[in-house]
Amino acid sequence: MPVWELEKPGDQAPFLRTQLERLGMEQIDFYLLHSLNARYWQNVLRSESLAWLDEEKRRGHIRFAGFSFHDDFDVFKTIIDAYDWDFCQIQYNYAQHDIQAGTRGLQYAHSKGIGVSIMEPLFGGFLTGPQMPPGASQLFEENSVNPVASALRWIWNQPEPAVVLSGMSEKYQVKENLRIVESADVGVLTQRERQVLEQVCSYMRENVPIPCSKCGYCLKSCPVGVKIPVVFDIFNKHLLVDRKHTLQPALYRGMLPSEKASACIQCGVCKKHCPQSIDIPAWLEKVAAELEGEKLT
Ligand code: SF4
Ligand code: SF4
C-alpha cells in the first residue's frame, strides 16, 4: 500500500482492488503498508489504515498484515507497539546493523512474536561483486572469505530473522544463494568471517560518503530529472578510489546536463522520499563541485 497516497479513510480501497485484479487473486498472503517512516505513519493514522487492515483481514482479502520500514528505532518501536502486526520488513545488513530499526528493532519485533523479513542484506549490491569498493574486496580476498556468503550467513547466524530477501536478479544468483543457505544456520558464522565483516564495515564507514542504496524512490519526485542514485554512485566510487581513476568522471561527463547534480534546483522534494534520510540537495551541491568543477568539465 503506497501510504504516501493516503489522506482519509477509504483511500485504500482502489489500491487493493487494483492489486487483487492485477494479481488475479482473491487474497494476498503478505500485505505491506509500504515504506513507513514518521511522516507516512501520520498518513496511516489519518486514513485509519489499521482499522482498514483489520477489516480486510476479516473479509479475507489480506491474510497477514505487515509494514516495511525506513526510519529510526524510536519510530519503529512506536509503530510496532501500535498494532497487532503479523510481520514487518526492515533494511538490515552487517554494514548497517545500527542504523534504522537495526539489531535493536529486529530483536524487539521478534520478542513480540512479529515475523521479521530482512531486505537489503547486500545493500543494493554494494556489499558484493563489481559494485563493492576495491578496498573492501581486497579485505575479503586477502582472508579468503566470500563476500556474499558471509553477508548472508551473518544474518542467518541470528535467530530472529524469519526470511531474507536477497534481491536476486540473475539465475546464477538463485543457485548461489541456495548453495549458501545449505551451510547457513544460527551460530555457524566463523570467527574469521566475523572479523573480516567487522573490518569491511569499518572500511565502508570511513570511505563511503553517501549511504545511497540505489532504491530509486527519489527519482519520480524530481521535477528536472536529476539521476540521483547514478550521480551518487559515481561520486561514491570516485572517492573510494581516492580520485585516482578517470572512469567515474568520464561516466559522469557522459550524462545529460539535466541528469547531473548541477541541474538540481534545490527544491528538496526528493528528501521526503529517501528511506536513508540522505540530505540529497546538499550532497548534490558537493557532487557538482567535485565532478563539475573546472578540472573535470
Ligand atoms: S532537490 Fe534537486 S534533486 Fe531533489 S527533487 Fe529538487 S531538483 Fe530534484
Ligand atoms: S538517494 Fe535515497 S531515495 Fe534516492 S536512490 Fe539513494 S537511497 Fe534511494
Side-chain angles (χ1 to χ4, degrees), residues 221-226 228 263-271 280-281 284:
S221 63
C222 180
V224 289
V226 178
I228 300 163
C264 172
I265 56 171
Q266 299 285 310
C267 68
V269 177
C270 53
K271 274 169 72 173
I280 296 171
L284 286 174

Side-chain angles (χ1 to χ4, degrees), residues 123 210-219 228-230 232 270-271 273-278 280:
F123 198 33
I210 312 175
C212 171
S213 68
K214 304 194 208 89
C215 66
Y217 293 165
C218 54
L219 283 171
I228 300 163
V230 176
F232 284 172
C270 53
K271 274 169 72 173
H273 298 277
C274 180
Q276 313 301 332
S277 303
I278 297 168
I280 296 171

Side-chain angles (χ1 to χ4, degrees), residues 39 119 138 195 215 258:
R39 180 162 171 256
M119 59 181 157
Q138 198 179 340
Q195 281 170 352
C215 66
S258 62

Side-chain angles (χ1 to χ4, degrees), residues 68-83:
S68 57
F69 180 81
H70 292 286
D71 208 322
D72 64 24
F73 173 78
D74 291 338
V75 177
F76 183 75
K77 186 170 181 301
T78 299
I79 296 173
I80 286 284
D81 291 342
Y83 183 68

Side-chain angles (χ1 to χ4, degrees), residues 4-271:
W4 50 90
E5 302 282 353
L6 305 179
E7 290 173 7
K8 58 185 185 312
D11 282 355
Q12 304 91 345
F15 290 107
L16 181 62
R17 192 166 52 241
T18 305
Q19 289 158 345
L20 288 167
E21 276 170 17
R22 287 182 181 172
L23 289 165
M25 305 287 287
E26 290 177 359
Q27 182 182 64
I28 295 174
D29 285 334
F30 292 90
Y31 196 84
L32 294 149
L33 302 186
H34 183 41
S35 200
L36 293 192
N37 56 23
R39 180 162 171 256
Y40 294 154
W41 180 237
Q42 295 311 309
N43 291 29
V44 170
L45 299 178
R46 199 163 47 239
S47 60
E48 298 177 9
S49 290
L50 301 178
W52 173 81
L53 283 173
D54 281 339
E55 177 60 16
E56 294 301 339
K57 283 176 83 171
R58 193 189 61 72
R59 288 182 180 170
H61 293 146
I62 292 172
R63 192 161 167 221
F64 299 113
F67 66 94
S68 57
F69 180 81
H70 292 286
D71 208 322
D72 64 24
F73 173 78
D74 291 338
V75 177
F76 183 75
K77 186 170 181 301
T78 299
I79 296 173
I80 286 284
D81 291 342
Y83 183 68
D84 187 14
W85 301 103
D86 297 307
F87 73 108
C88 62
Q89 187 165 303
I90 61 171
Q91 173 177 320
Y92 191 57
N93 56 62
Y94 70 85
Q96 300 177 309
H97 56 86
D98 54 357
I99 69 158
Q100 296 199 9
T103 305
R104 270 202 306 166
L106 168 67
Q107 294 177 348
Y108 186 68
H110 183 260
S111 74
K112 301 197 83 169
I114 298 168
V116 184
S117 168
I118 304 296
M119 59 181 157
E120 304 281 10
L122 300 171
F123 198 33
F126 199 69
L127 302 181
T128 180
Q131 292 189 59
M132 174 171 267
S137 298
Q138 198 179 340
L139 282 166
F140 282 112
E141 273 169 33
E142 283 170 2
N143 290 280
S144 304
V145 167
N146 180 305
V148 179
S150 55
L152 296 179
R153 280 160 57 86
W154 180 85
I155 293 172
W156 283 317
N157 196 54
Q158 302 164 69
E160 295 90 359
V163 65
V164 181
L165 307 173
S166 57
M168 298 169 283
S169 53
E170 302 281 346
K171 196 169 180 183
Y172 83 87
Q173 294 169 336
V174 178
K175 290 181 178 171
E176 182 181 38
N177 286 8
L178 287 170
R179 183 179 50 73
I180 293 168
V181 76
E182 278 175 13
S183 69
D185 207 342
V186 175
V188 300
L189 194 72
T190 67
Q191 184 66 13
R192 174 182 288 217
E193 283 176 310
R194 194 186 303 274
Q195 281 170 352
V196 173
L197 292 180
E198 281 169 11
Q199 286 171 21
V200 171
C201 184
S202 305
Y203 176 86
M204 297 276 200
R205 288 181 180 213
E206 285 160 19
N207 293 281
V208 179
I210 312 175
C212 171
S213 68
K214 304 194 208 89
C215 66
Y217 293 165
C218 54
L219 283 171
K220 276 191 188 162
S221 63
C222 180
V224 289
V226 178
K227 281 202 172 169
I228 300 163
V230 176
V231 164
F232 284 172
D233 187 45
I234 287 174
F235 180 77
N236 274 343
K237 286 175 178 162
H238 184 53
L239 265 58
L240 275 165
V241 293
D242 294 331
R243 302 177 171 89
K244 282 182 185 148
H245 298 314
T246 55
L247 174 62
Q248 299 306 328
L251 289 173
Y252 191 79
R253 276 196 296 272
M255 295 175 72
L256 295 170
S258 62
E259 298 171 342
K260 291 184 178 179
S262 59
C264 172
I265 56 171
Q266 299 285 310
C267 68
V269 177
C270 53
K271 274 169 72 173

